[in-house]
Amino acid sequence: MPTLREIFLPLSGFLIFILAWHGVAALGLYSDYLFPPPLAVAQGIVELLRGGELWDYTRTSLLRFAAGYGAAVFVAVPLGLLLGRCTLLWHALDPLIQILRPVSPIAWFPLVSLWFGIGNLPAVVIIFIAAFYPVLLSTVAAVRNVSAVYLKVAANFGASRRDVLWNVIVPAAFPQIAVGLHIAIGAAWIFLVAGEMLGVRSGLGYLIIDSRNNLRTDLVMVGIVLIGLLGLVIDRLVSFGEKWVKRQWEMP
Amino acid sequence: MNGRETAKIRLDGVGKRFRAKGDGETALSRVDLEIAAGELICLVGPSGCGKTTLINLLAGFERPSEGILEIDGRAVTGPDPDHIMIFQDYGLFPWKTVLNNVLFGLRARGVPKAEAREKALDALELVGLRVAADRHPHELSGGMKQRVAIARALAVEPSVLFMDEPFAALDAFTRIHLQDELLRIWKEKRTTIVFVTHDLDEAIYLGQRVVLMAPYPGRIQRILHIRLPEPRERTGEDFARIRRELFEEFHLVHKQAQDVSEYSI
């Protein structure tokens, strides 16, 4: 029963969650500002929709996210292809990357704000850092995992270096690179909020911080719900994109 | 007929050592062999006999540590589109259709698009897979995949085919079918074929000559001319006699190999 599994069960999961949330709030153990009930959150959404902030903040956040993630992919994929091919270079840089990679993007906050001031740039840089390593490392691993027999076949037929790169290595590595792109979406989206707590006065992360400062916990919840929903939508879009590219590449 | 002048492939004292800890392991020792143009020759032997090393040297994927290795009078210095290798695991690109796989070699050579397409379809016709041109490798059986790999090789009209246990992963019926297919194609094209196998029957069925190799170090034990009437009968009396003869020697070689490896362990 696909409709049962795909539609009815997830919907009932949401419904039960919201009912339980409402039930706990209705007990009145906590005041509304400590534990905002779902109705207050719904009203908050309407309030922000009317005021126009909802659309504004969402668009701003999405643009920052696209800029940071896009820049990370733009730098990390070509760099990963290079490092995957040049074993010597990779051995020189691998330890450095292994040291930098586990550092949370948040640790870069002080330097990022000193270097990039206020405005969009610090948030974009934080998202960039979050997305950069998963994309880079999966690209390097993907290139190094390309089956030796493909490279032998290409060399045997006298394929040019460009041919080997574009017609053998990139498509052979693509499925694993796509996994990295996908993981990086998740990682970078998580740090969107953190990035927007820094020197900006717009966006969904700012909405949460600003609402906390005004004790509007209902609007904090609105921010959380929106970020979660948008994260889901982006993830699904990436999956579609992945399938589309695979079709272009004539992959099964 | 295998005189120095007409030899397509000539090996003179070819050896190969792989660098290992301590002294290098000798994979191949002093191999002398001449292969005539248009010959189908089979290299057979137990594992460790260096047959795969030898074919990798011939195809230019490895360099010999010593000796002379020439094809058409020129030293082999690397892979060459005129000498195509067929691998046991096919080496087809899974993201390309059958037709585009076959086109790969032609396009790498810079053959114009329309002409390349025609040649690719002809090559697929030759292996009986023209109907599968738009399918992807994952939709094909193992035997069909290997036929596509053969078509891809033949499309660039190489003068030599190296085949490294190409049918070893296939079931017995498919293997027999592909052996017949290969003979048919070889008779039509007269390509020089060096065929590595660990299957004696396969070697005797296909080869004009069978080179029996022995391990530790890898070397040529014996070269056997197979003079059987065509088409060869797998169940014939003469086939059985050659098989028995080769099998006894193979067994001896195998036993020696085991003794050596037991001592060295």
Side-chain angles (χ1 to χ4, degrees), chain B residues 9-21:
Chain B
I9 302 173
R10 189 167 77 87
L11 295 96
D12 189 354
V14 168
K16 177 70 181 173
R17 278 181 304 277
F18 287 108
R19 253 179 288 165
K21 279 169 189 162

Side-chain angles (χ1 to χ4, degrees), chain B residues 51-98:
Chain B
K51 56 190 193 295
T52 293
T53 305
L54 183 54
I55 205 166
N56 273 315
L57 291 174
L58 287 166
F61 294 125
E62 307 262 5
R63 306 280 176 280
S65 312
E66 61 192 16
I68 296 165
L69 170 49
E70 288 177 346
I71 300 180
D72 294 323
R74 289 191 310 273
V76 174
T77 55
D80 186 325
D82 190 42
H83 318 140
I84 297 295
M85 175 88 116
I86 306 263
F87 298 91
Q88 185 184 330
D89 49 2
Y90 325 121
L92 296 180
F93 301 128
W95 58 89
K96 285 181 186 286
T97 59
V98 164

Side-chain angles (χ1 to χ4, degrees), chain A residues 168-181:
Chain A
V168 180
I169 291 172
V170 170
F174 178 74
Q176 211 182 332
I177 295 177
V179 171
L181 293 177

Side-chain angles (χ1 to χ4, degrees), chain B residues 25-41:
Chain B
E25 190 196 332
T26 304
L28 214 54
S29 169
R30 297 207 52 78
V31 170
D32 302 319
L33 185 64
E34 290 192 353
I35 299 168
E39 189 176 0
L40 201 173
I41 190 168

Side-chain angles (χ1 to χ4, degrees), chain B residues 100-115:
Chain B
N100 285 334
N101 264 287
V102 179
L103 278 171
F104 179 83
L106 292 160
R107 299 293 294 153
R109 274 195 156 181
V111 178
K113 222 168 192 167
E115 192 190 336

Side-chain angles (χ1 to χ4, degrees), chain A residues 150 156 167 171 249-252, chain B residues 81 83 85 94-95 100 136 138:
Chain A
Y150 297 157
N156 199 170
N167 288 328
W249 243 278
E250 299 179 345
M251 271 190 270
Chain B
H83 318 140
M85 175 88 116
W95 58 89
N100 285 334
H136 280 89
H138 72 101

Side-chain angles (χ1 to χ4, degrees), chain A:
Chain A
M1 291 293 269
T3 44
L4 174 80
R5 281 210 197 141
E6 283 163 21
I7 298 169
F8 180 71
L9 287 181
L11 274 182
S12 49
F14 279 119
L15 204 65
I16 291 167
F17 174 74
I18 290 171
L19 282 175
W21 176 7
H22 179 78
V24 174
L27 289 176
L29 295 172
Y30 309 100
S31 51
D32 275 3
Y33 79 88
L34 276 180
F35 195 86
L39 270 177
V41 175
Q43 280 164 359
I45 291 178
V46 173
E47 184 188 324
L48 290 181
L49 265 174
R50 286 211 177 116
E53 295 101 326
L54 191 84
W55 170 237
D56 261 8
Y57 286 175
T58 304
R59 194 189 52 192
T60 311
S61 285
L62 285 175
L63 283 176
R64 286 183 191 133
F65 179 75
Y69 181 78
V73 171
F74 191 74
V75 177
V77 169
L79 188 62
L81 291 174
L82 178 74
L83 291 179
R85 287 296 279 160
C86 304
T87 309
L88 288 179
L89 203 56
W90 173 241
H91 284 307
L93 291 180
D94 181 35
L96 182 69
I97 291 168
Q98 295 307 331
I99 288 170
L100 290 174
R101 187 179 59 94
V103 177
S104 165
I106 295 173
W108 290 98
F109 260 16
L111 290 173
V112 166
S113 38
L114 279 175
W115 291 341
F116 300 102
I118 53 169
N120 288 322
L121 211 49
V124 171
V125 169
I126 293 294
I127 293 162
F128 176 93
I129 295 171
F132 180 76
Y133 295 107
V135 176
L136 178 74
L137 292 176
S138 70
T139 305
V140 172
V143 172
R144 291 170 67 88
N145 277 347
V146 170
S147 168
V149 73
Y150 297 157
L151 300 175
K152 275 185 168 181
V153 167
N156 199 170
F157 283 105
S160 64
R161 287 174 69 94
R162 227 184 71 191
D163 248 9
V164 173
L165 180 67
W166 288 108
N167 288 328
V168 180
I169 291 172
V170 170
F174 178 74
Q176 211 182 332
I177 295 177
V179 171
L181 293 177
H182 211 139
I183 292 171
I185 282 267
W189 188 249
I190 287 169
F191 283 98
L192 171 83
V193 182
E196 287 183 339
M197 292 178 177
L198 196 74
V200 289
R201 299 189 65 79
S202 60
L204 297 170
Y206 170 75
L207 171 68
I208 290 177
I209 293 300
D210 187 49
S211 307
R212 180 202 64 184
N213 292 343
N214 297 322
L215 275 182
R216 288 291 306 271
T217 47
D218 53 337
L219 296 186
V220 172
M221 284 302 299
V222 171
I224 290 171
V225 168
L226 277 179
I227 289 165
L229 283 174
L230 283 173
L232 179 71
V233 170
I234 291 171
D235 191 75
R236 287 296 141 92
L237 285 177
V238 171
S239 293
F240 279 126
E242 225 175 294
K243 280 182 193 143
W244 182 80
V245 176
K246 274 189 186 175
R247 271 202 303 277
Q248 299 305 301
W249 243 278
E250 299 179 345
M251 271 190 270

